[in-house]
Every structure is written in structure tokens, then in C-alpha cells.
Amino acid sequence: MVQKLDRLKESPSQTAGPYVHIGTNPNSVEIKGVWNEDLGSRMLNTQTLGERIVLEGRVLDGSGAPLKDVLVEIWQADAQGLYPSPQEKRGKADPHFAGWGRQPVDPVTGIYHFETVKPGRVPYRDGRMMAPHVTFWLVSRGINLGLHTRLYFADEEEANAQCPVLARIEHTRRIPTLIASRSEANGLATYTFDIRLQGEGETVFFDI
Amino acid sequence: MSDDGSYFQRDRAWHPPAFTPDYKTSILRSPRFPLLSLDNTISELTGPVFGDALLGPLDNDLIRNYAKDGDPIGQRIVVYGRVLDENARAVPGALLEFWQANAGGRYRHRKETYLAAIDPNFGGCGRAITDSEGRYEFRTIKPGAYPWPNGVNDWRPAHIHFSVFGHAFAQRLITQMYFEGDPMIWQCPIVRTIPDKAAIEQLVAALDRNATLPMDALAYKFDIVLRGRRATMFENRPEGN
Ligand SMILES: [Fe+3]
């Protein structure tokens, strides 16, 4: 026998199941009055700095069908590229920006919808700048361990070309699975980002 | 100990794999390409933090936080424990959200079709934030087992779902708590997505007779472990942030 290491094992994951919204977004499933507002439902207020944008899309299974029960969380830097986190040592993030959002998808269409701001660039480990991006985390019935991916912006071609993370994707034809397309209506940009769990065009997921 | 280290690589043999055919829904929802390994950047080392100001006085009391005209039916229990990291250090300020079926095994949800009755006094959700020593507790009723569509006759053991936020998005975790002594644990296709018996046992809460509230509630202890960070004691790695 050898001495025991003072390490613990991470608790193993289990699926969020079909009723995850009872715990995370109870108001969205008609459990009213426990708390007033579902956490993560608003990322902005009137004073938030930066370009307001919408992120929209669906999460598709291996048959191409949109998931109706998936929960989507996002985490991103503010417009200046600072995270609202105590771990952020480079400066103070916009106090009017949450950085984190969480939404169920529409139970009929399967579309998620976030109102946020375009994030600024943040550095990679070696100081090179990553392209602006939004971290996505997906949980649902049938997903045994939450899936991490990133949304990048189609109109940031130059930054995307220099991004050290995108550069690590050996199969370059998979890079477009991380890039949201831009459309504009009434001066408001919407970025559309469909996530494919499996099959043709499977999204790149990260082991972080 | 530096605060700048990355999180330990996740032991993916300890977690359930994505593709677990006995749990049928995973078949079409599991990525087939390998995950792209990404050293933690500031995007993963940071994460949202939540303060106690978020919490209402009944947020950790599922017996009362939805009650309309009396207490919910069922075995009253207290669930308590600590949130730790892989270095066995407390994680203070962790937000835990929990949700569960009622004593009959029925969820309050429009998609739920199980015959067991809705309890008018039970909503089934709550939340807590760990204190400076990583401790949390809440009061609820023991959930019932319930059948679910997978095989023609599959049943879930009694369980409580947990969602946990640590200090970094890399630590984000959703899992489930089971109850000591429940024979239903070992026949469940969702439990069995976890390959290692010791890993499953890490999700089984212990009945704690000493923490019971006499003439009131049984108590179960459930500790949760989040990923831990590398210490950078002797390492002089350039940090990008
Ligand atoms: Fe459940």
C-alpha cells in the first residue's frame, strides 16, 4: 500500500432530465410564487454598455429534430472584454451586465433567445487575443454530462482567423459549426447559432 | 497556493459517457466526434457568482415555499452537506438549485403523465448558497420513485436533482442525489450510465440519525465535489491574464 492522496473525486454528473426547468426556471413552467424572476432571464438593463444583440437558434439531435426540453446557459465577457467575476483581475466589468444568461427553449419551436451585448475580446493563456465569443453550456434529458461549446461571430472574420482556440481545430471544415450568422432588422443584430449534437455538421464541443 | 491555476482535467471515465444506449434518449443526443481539449482560458476560469441577497427566506424550505393550505404529504426530511473541491477544500458561495417529484413520485410539470396525484402544497424546487465552510441545508419531503418511458417498465429510484455553480464556469455541474438503502438505485438505466460503482455510491446520501429532528424530520447528508484547481507552487508558467 502507498499513502493516500488528499484528493476527492468530482461528483459524477447525471442528466438534468426532462423537468430541469422546475429547478432552474420554475416560472417558465407555471410554478409561480416560489421566486419572482427566473435566474438568468435578464442580462441587461438600460445602462448596459455596448452593442445590443440577440442570440437565437435551436439545438438539434442526430435526426435533425430540435430539442424542446433543453436548457441553454451562456457566459460571456462584457463589451470591453471583461468578465463580471471575482476571478477577473484585469479590470472591473460593467456593473450593469450580468455576463451569464439562462433560457429554456420555446416548447413549440425549440428556439432559444438571448438579449445581450456583443462581447469584447479576451486573451488566451499566452496573451494572444481570442476572437469575441460566447460560451454555451447545454443540459437536457439524454445529455449525461453538460456540453460546452462556443459561439463566434460571422462578422469578426479577422479576429476569428487569429483566434488561438479556433486555430486548434485540426479539422478546419468543422470551424463553421461555431460561427453564428448575422442578420439585421430595425438596427438590431441577430446572430443565429444552431447547435447540432450529432450527425452531419456536428458542432465542435470542448473538453475544458 | 496561487489562484491562477487551471482546473484538473475532468476524469471522463468517472462520469457517464455521452452515448449510453440503455438510456435511449442519449442515443440521438450524444456527440460522436471527440471533444476538443481546451486548456482553461479566462472564459472557463471565471463564472457567475450569486450573493445571499438573491435568496428569500423560504428558498430552502420546500415544505413551505409553495404551500397553499397546509403542509405537503410525505416523509419530512432535512438534506444537508458541504460543497468541496477535488482538493478537499470548502467551496463557499456556491449556488445550489434542487428540484424533485412529490412524495408520490409526481412532478409538477405539464409534460408529466404519471398517474400519481399532484400535491397542491408542493412545488418541488428550492435553492441555497453555501456558507464560508461550504455548508448548505434544506428541508423537503422525501420524493417517491416513478416510472418513466424508456423500457416498457423502467422506474427511477427516489432522487433529488441538483444544479451547482462553483466559482468558475468550468465547475458547472448537474447531478442527482439518491437515498441510502434504496434497492431501486441499482436497476435504474440512468444511474447505470455511470460506469463505476464507487462513482454511483458518491451520489448516495447517507441517513444521519444524529441530525434528525426528533418528532419532525429524518436527515440525509449529501456532499458534492466540484472540480479542483491546480496549485502553481513551483510552476512559473506564463499566465495570459
Ligand atoms: Fe427526476
Side-chain angles (χ1 to χ4, degrees):
Chain A
M1 289 292 281
V2 298
Q3 294 192 356
K4 218 170 161 344
L5 296 174
D6 296 327
R7 307 271 187 208
L8 302 175
K9 297 295 288 182
E10 185 186 9
S11 297
S13 171
Q14 290 268 264
T15 179
Y19 307 128
V20 57
H21 308 101
I22 293 174
T24 60
N25 301 66
N27 291 290
S28 79
V29 288
E30 283 101 52
I31 298 176
K32 307 280 188 192
V34 181
W35 45 81
N36 290 332
E37 186 177 81
D38 291 338
L39 201 58
S41 54
R42 248 183 324 130
M43 300 177 70
L44 307 174
N45 65 32
T46 53
Q47 297 174 70
T48 309
L49 302 172
E51 183 196 357
R52 276 158 170 70
I53 61 170
V54 170
L55 307 179
E56 262 185 7
R58 297 167 303 165
V59 181
L60 304 160
D61 72 12
S63 79
L67 274 59
K68 307 288 178 65
D69 50 11
V70 66
L71 180 70
V72 183
E73 287 189 10
I74 64 172
W75 173 243
Q76 63 165 92
D78 70 10
Q80 293 162 85
L82 293 170
Y83 280 100
S85 159
Q87 317 290 331
E88 174 61 86
K89 312 290 190 210
R90 297 170 302 138
K92 188 161 166 18
D94 182 354
H96 300 289
F97 182 59
W100 175 76
R102 177 162 73 184
Q103 294 288 346
V105 296
D106 182 286
V108 177
T109 62
I111 294 174
Y112 68 80
H113 178 96
F114 289 96
E115 291 169 22
T116 184
V117 292
K118 186 115 176 259
R121 294 175 77 172
V122 300
Y124 187 58
R125 300 176 61 82
D126 59 8
R128 283 182 292 163
M129 295 307 270
M130 296 189 280
H133 63 273
V134 176
T135 295
F136 274 63
W137 190 68
L138 309 175
V139 290
S140 81
R141 180 171 67 102
I143 295 178
N144 290 327
L145 175 59
L147 294 167
H148 282 264
T149 187
R150 284 184 175 189
L151 174 156
Y152 285 86
F153 297 88
D155 55 342
E156 295 284 346
E157 265 178 64
E158 201 183 316
N160 291 343
Q162 295 163 2
C163 180
V165 171
L166 291 178
R168 290 188 49 176
I169 300 176
E170 180 189 349
H171 301 95
T172 50
R173 57 185 277 271
R174 300 191 67 208
I175 293 175
T177 69
L178 300 182
I179 304 205
S181 62
R182 180 187 166 109
S183 59
E184 212 170 299
N186 309 318
L188 179 69
T190 293
Y191 291 90
T192 303
F193 182 57
D194 284 344
I195 298 169
R196 291 181 170 75
L197 298 180
Q198 187 190 97
E200 184 66 28
E202 181 180 308
T203 298
V204 173
F205 296 101
F206 294 94
D207 186 9
I208 61 168
Chain B
M1 294 277 196
S2 158
D3 208 26
D4 294 315
S6 304
Y7 285 86
F8 300 134
Q9 177 175 321
R10 212 162 213 165
D11 181 355
R12 287 183 177 266
W14 191 251
H15 288 284
F19 178 71
T20 48
D22 289 344
Y23 174 26
K24 291 182 185 175
T25 316
S26 76
I27 295 174
L28 287 176
R29 296 185 174 193
S30 43
R32 294 299 153 83
F33 284 95
L35 303 179
L36 183 76
S37 297
L38 177 60
D39 296 335
N40 293 168
T41 72
I42 191 167
S43 301
E44 292 76 37
L45 294 171
T46 54
V49 288
F50 305 96
D52 289 336
L54 173 72
L55 301 177
L58 296 180
D59 281 10
N60 70 340
D61 186 356
L62 283 71
I63 291 180
R64 289 281 159 76
N65 70 11
Y66 193 83
K68 302 289 184 262
D69 55 7
D71 285 347
I73 301 291
Q75 170 80 67
R76 298 159 67 86
I77 61 170
V78 169
V79 177
Y80 78 94
R82 297 179 75 196
V83 179
L84 303 163
D85 68 17
E86 289 170 288
N87 296 312
R89 286 187 299 194
V91 182
L95 172 68
L96 283 75
E97 300 164 304
F98 15 87
W99 65 101
Q100 62 168 89
N102 69 23
R106 172 80 186 244
Y107 283 96
R108 181 175 286 281
H109 195 284
R110 59 180 176 268
K111 281 195 188 162
E112 163 75 283
T113 55
Y114 181 31
L115 296 174
I118 289 270
D119 186 329
N121 293 310
F122 192 69
C125 60
R127 57 189 180 185
I129 292 178
T130 57
D131 69 13
S132 59
E133 293 175 331
R135 295 178 199 285
Y136 74 93
E137 65 176 328
F138 62 97
R139 190 168 78 145
T140 186
I141 53 96
K142 190 173 176 188
Y146 60 83
W148 59 296
N150 184 61
V152 292
N153 188 24
D154 278 326
W155 290 69
R156 296 297 331 277
H159 61 277
I160 300 176
H161 296 265
F162 280 74
S163 156
V164 192
F165 292 83
H167 299 163
F169 217 56
Q171 292 178 302
R172 193 79 180 84
L173 183 71
I174 281 186
T175 189
Q176 302 182 27
M177 175 194 122
Y178 303 100
F179 292 85
E180 178 181 354
D182 184 353
M184 301 286 288
I185 293 170
W186 306 101
Q187 52 77 58
C188 173
I190 287 177
V191 172
R192 289 162 68 137
T193 61
I194 301 173
D196 190 311
K197 182 160 181 281
I200 293 172
E201 286 169 339
Q202 197 179 351
L203 299 182
V204 181
L207 175 66
D208 183 353
R209 291 272 291 143
N210 288 349
T212 54
L213 306 176
M215 303 303 285
D216 182 346
L218 285 175
Y220 286 88
K221 173 183 167 276
F222 185 58
D223 287 344
I224 296 168
V225 181
L226 301 180
R227 294 171 72 184
R229 297 183 83 166
R230 209 179 299 284
T232 47
M233 285 178 286
F234 302 109
E235 212 174 344
N236 210 358
R237 190 180 50 223
E239 292 287 345
N241 45 50

